[in-house]
Amino acid sequence: MKRILVMALVACFVLGAAMANAKEMQFSASFEHSLQWTDNTDLQDGKTDGANEDDFSALQRVRMYFQYVTSEDLRAVVGFEYDTTWGVVDSQVEGSGGSIGTDGGEIELKHAYTDFKTGPVAWRVGLQGVAWPSAVAGNPIADNDVAAIVGSYAFNENVSLVAGFTRLYTDEDGQNKGDIDALTAILPIAMDGYSVTPYVIYAMVGQDAAAAAGLAGITNEAGITAPADSLTALWLGAAVEVSAFDPITFGLDLAYGSVDAEEENNDRSGWFAAGIVSYKMDMVTPSLAVVYGSGDDDDTTNGSETMPYLDSATAITHFGMDGAAHNLAGNVLTDRHDFMAVALILDDISFVESLTHRFVLMYGQGTSDENMADQAGTVLTEKDTFWEVNFDSTYQLYENLALSAKLGYVSVDRDEDTWAAATEETDAATKMAVTLTYSF
């Protein structure tokens, strides 16, 4: 609590100084309070894996954003985040500060950037959120906060260009072995009834960072040496949206990525595609989504055939995939792309005022060769199938206050001949989370 008080005093000082120079100050915030129950999140046999049985956690997150606006061409934004897990004492554990006394914990600097214009070019410099294009459910390569310099220029009302530099990791000793620097260019094209947004990402990856970030081909997770030198990575992608046939809409994500290393076993290249068709109705919006990602073959000497990524955000579901919010359980299935799936989605279900629901049923299987089981982080092979169910409800108590409940169920059927440890007693994973959100 003392740290929060000190931070509040510092914020008051900063705000006072800023108001003397800024013509307008804007403030926004959100307070999220969650209770979560999970079971068997590692998808192992629940009868023997007590560490993941009947886990209960209470969490909260506070985000505060301050904008100092001088004009429509110049502003500065700073955002703070404070995450707490109730009851955590150890200051070394993320989310500490929720034990008795509520002392401790750390306030994180979420965003800190400056927006300004030089002629027709708009710039954003600093710690910011960068999301590469997606028309389905999150970009499969990267979608997160980064340190970046991003510029944008509008050729006309239909075509613009966004280009930037991001530093994702760096070595503290300055030897560059742990550096990942990325250059990107995005070309949004928006026409009447459709939009196409191609993009390219080129990254220079230090050898230490390659293994840690999972960018190398078959790394030392499979008993093969990590890269002996730095790597280069290249991604090409596009997001396509079609609204010309409204209320029927279409979305398509395509991405290809490759990593080039000195040793062939550290090469990596693969592709990912996701498509969705939706039909908006008065009380529900049904959608059908399809996902496919290339998988590894059975040769560990020629690198990996799965698409590399920096920070995947495939968020069709919130339990098996990356759609979870507020540090709630997610990515239970995998954060890789070597799987294919089909999902039925019923969104914006509403029969009662202020109450909406979302239902997702997904079925799929892995795309990596069965001989890659337990190799290089593979968790799903072509012999394994899975299915997931999500059912979520949100009730708007007030204009700025919402109460939501999220239910998740994931079941994996592993081939016993492929996975020596697989048994018929392998249990499914379950999740229930209740969140109260106040935003203003």
Side-chain angles (χ1 to χ4, degrees), residues 5 41-43 89 119 140 143 147 153 164 177 196 200 272 281 303 305 308 360 375 385 390 406 425:
L5 179 59
T41 54
D42 61 1
L43 294 169
V89 179
D143 184 351
Y153 173 78
K177 291 184 178 181
V196 180
V200 59
F272 178 87
M281 305 168 67
E305 290 73 38
V360 181
Q375 299 293 312
T385 61
N390 292 172
K406 296 182 180 294
E425 297 179 346

Coordinates of all heavy atoms in Angstrom, one line a residue, residues 5 41-43 89 119 140 143 147 153 164 177 196 200 272 281 303 305 308 360 375 385 390 406 425:
L5 N 0.8 4.6 -2.5 CA 0.7 5.9 -2.0 C 1.8 6.8 -2.6 O 1.6 7.9 -3.1 CB 0.8 6.0 -0.5 CG 0.7 7.4 0.2 CD1 -0.6 8.0 -0.2 CD2 0.8 7.3 1.7
T41 N -5.2 -27.9 -16.0 CA -4.8 -27.0 -17.1 C -3.7 -27.5 -17.9 O -3.4 -27.0 -19.0 CB -4.5 -25.6 -16.6 OG1 -3.5 -25.7 -15.6 CG2 -5.8 -24.9 -16.0
D42 N -2.9 -28.5 -17.4 CA -1.9 -29.1 -18.2 C -2.3 -30.3 -19.0 O -1.5 -31.0 -19.7 CB -0.6 -29.4 -17.4 CG -0.9 -30.4 -16.3 OD1 -2.1 -30.9 -16.2 OD2 0.0 -30.7 -15.5
L43 N -3.6 -30.6 -18.9 CA -4.3 -31.7 -19.7 C -3.6 -33.1 -19.4 O -3.6 -33.9 -20.3 CB -4.2 -31.4 -21.2 CG -5.0 -30.2 -21.7 CD1 -4.7 -29.8 -23.1 CD2 -6.5 -30.5 -21.5
V89 N 2.1 -13.4 -1.2 CA 3.0 -12.7 -0.3 C 4.4 -12.4 -1.0 O 4.9 -11.4 -0.8 CB 3.3 -13.5 1.0 CG1 4.2 -12.8 1.9 CG2 1.9 -13.8 1.7
G119 N 4.5 17.5 -41.0 CA 3.9 17.6 -42.2 C 2.7 16.6 -42.3 O 1.9 16.5 -41.4
P140 N -1.4 -13.9 -35.9 CA -0.7 -15.1 -35.4 C 0.8 -14.9 -35.2 O 1.5 -15.8 -34.7 CB -0.9 -16.1 -36.6 CG -1.1 -15.3 -37.8 CD -1.8 -14.0 -37.3
D143 N 1.2 -9.5 -31.4 CA 0.1 -8.6 -30.9 C 0.4 -8.3 -29.5 O -0.1 -9.0 -28.6 CB -1.2 -9.2 -31.2 CG -2.4 -8.2 -30.8 OD1 -2.1 -7.2 -30.2 OD2 -3.5 -8.5 -31.1
A147 N 8.5 -1.6 -27.5 CA 9.1 -0.3 -27.7 C 9.4 0.0 -29.2 O 10.0 -0.8 -29.8 CB 10.5 -0.3 -26.9
Y153 N 1.4 7.4 -43.1 CA 1.2 8.4 -44.1 C 0.0 8.0 -45.0 O -0.1 6.8 -45.4 CB 2.4 8.6 -45.0 CG 2.2 9.5 -46.2 CD1 2.2 10.9 -46.0 CD2 2.0 9.0 -47.5 CE1 2.0 11.7 -47.1 CE2 1.8 9.8 -48.6 CZ 1.8 11.2 -48.4 OH 1.6 12.0 -49.5
G164 N 7.6 0.9 -39.4 CA 8.1 1.1 -38.0 C 9.3 0.3 -37.7 O 9.6 -0.7 -38.4
K177 N 23.8 -10.7 -28.7 CA 23.4 -12.1 -28.8 C 21.9 -12.3 -28.4 O 21.3 -13.2 -28.8 CB 24.3 -13.1 -28.0 CG 25.7 -13.2 -28.6 CD 26.5 -14.2 -27.8 CE 27.9 -14.4 -28.4 NZ 28.7 -15.4 -27.7
V196 N -8.1 -4.7 -47.8 CA -7.0 -5.6 -47.9 C -5.8 -4.9 -47.2 O -5.5 -3.8 -47.6 CB -6.7 -5.9 -49.4 CG1 -5.5 -6.9 -49.4 CG2 -7.9 -6.5 -50.1
V200 N 4.6 -6.8 -44.1 CA 5.9 -7.5 -44.1 C 6.6 -7.2 -42.8 O 6.5 -6.1 -42.3 CB 6.7 -7.2 -45.3 CG1 7.0 -5.7 -45.3 CG2 8.0 -8.0 -45.3
F272 N 0.3 -20.1 -42.1 CA -0.9 -20.1 -41.3 C -2.0 -19.4 -42.0 O -1.8 -18.4 -42.6 CB -0.6 -19.5 -39.9 CG -1.8 -19.4 -39.0 CD1 -2.1 -20.5 -38.1 CD2 -2.7 -18.3 -39.0 CE1 -3.2 -20.4 -37.3 CE2 -3.8 -18.2 -38.1 CZ -4.0 -19.3 -37.3
M281 N -27.6 -11.1 -37.3 CA -29.1 -11.1 -37.2 C -29.4 -10.3 -36.0 O -28.6 -9.7 -35.3 CB -29.5 -12.6 -36.9 CG -29.1 -13.5 -38.1 SD -29.3 -15.3 -37.7 CE -31.1 -15.4 -37.6
G303 N 15.2 -28.8 -39.9 CA 14.6 -27.6 -39.3 C 13.1 -27.9 -39.0 O 12.6 -29.1 -39.1
E305 N 8.9 -27.0 -39.8 CA 8.0 -26.6 -40.8 C 6.8 -25.9 -40.2 O 5.8 -25.7 -40.9 CB 7.5 -27.8 -41.7 CG 8.6 -28.4 -42.5 CD 9.6 -29.2 -41.8 OE1 9.3 -29.9 -40.8 OE2 10.8 -29.1 -42.1
P308 N 7.1 -19.6 -37.6 CA 7.7 -18.9 -36.5 C 6.8 -17.8 -36.1 O 6.0 -17.3 -36.8 CB 9.1 -18.5 -37.0 CG 8.9 -18.3 -38.5 CD 7.9 -19.4 -38.9
V360 N -19.0 -20.8 -28.3 CA -18.0 -21.3 -29.2 C -17.8 -22.8 -29.1 O -17.6 -23.3 -28.0 CB -16.6 -20.6 -29.1 CG1 -15.6 -21.1 -30.1 CG2 -16.7 -19.1 -29.1
Q375 N 9.0 -33.7 -29.2 CA 10.1 -33.0 -29.8 C 9.8 -31.6 -30.1 O 8.8 -31.2 -30.5 CB 10.5 -33.7 -31.2 CG 10.8 -35.1 -31.1 CD 12.1 -35.4 -30.3 OE1 13.1 -34.7 -30.6 NE2 12.1 -36.3 -29.4
T385 N -6.5 -35.4 -31.5 CA -7.7 -34.6 -31.8 C -8.0 -33.8 -30.5 O -7.7 -34.2 -29.4 CB -8.9 -35.4 -32.3 OG1 -9.3 -36.3 -31.3 CG2 -8.5 -36.1 -33.6
N390 N -16.7 -22.9 -25.2 CA -16.7 -21.7 -24.4 C -18.2 -21.2 -24.3 O -18.9 -21.3 -25.3 CB -15.9 -20.6 -25.0 CG -14.4 -20.9 -25.0 OD1 -13.6 -20.1 -25.6 ND2 -13.9 -21.9 -24.3
K406 N -17.2 -16.5 -17.6 CA -16.7 -17.2 -18.8 C -16.4 -18.7 -18.3 O -15.8 -18.9 -17.3 CB -15.3 -16.6 -19.2 CG -15.4 -15.2 -19.7 CD -14.1 -14.7 -20.2 CE -14.2 -13.2 -20.7 NZ -15.0 -13.2 -22.0
E425 N -7.3 -42.4 -19.1 CA -7.7 -41.7 -17.9 C -7.4 -40.2 -18.0 O -7.6 -39.5 -17.1 CB -7.2 -42.3 -16.7 CG -7.6 -43.7 -16.4 CD -7.0 -44.3 -15.2 OE1 -6.0 -43.7 -14.7 OE2 -7.5 -45.3 -14.7

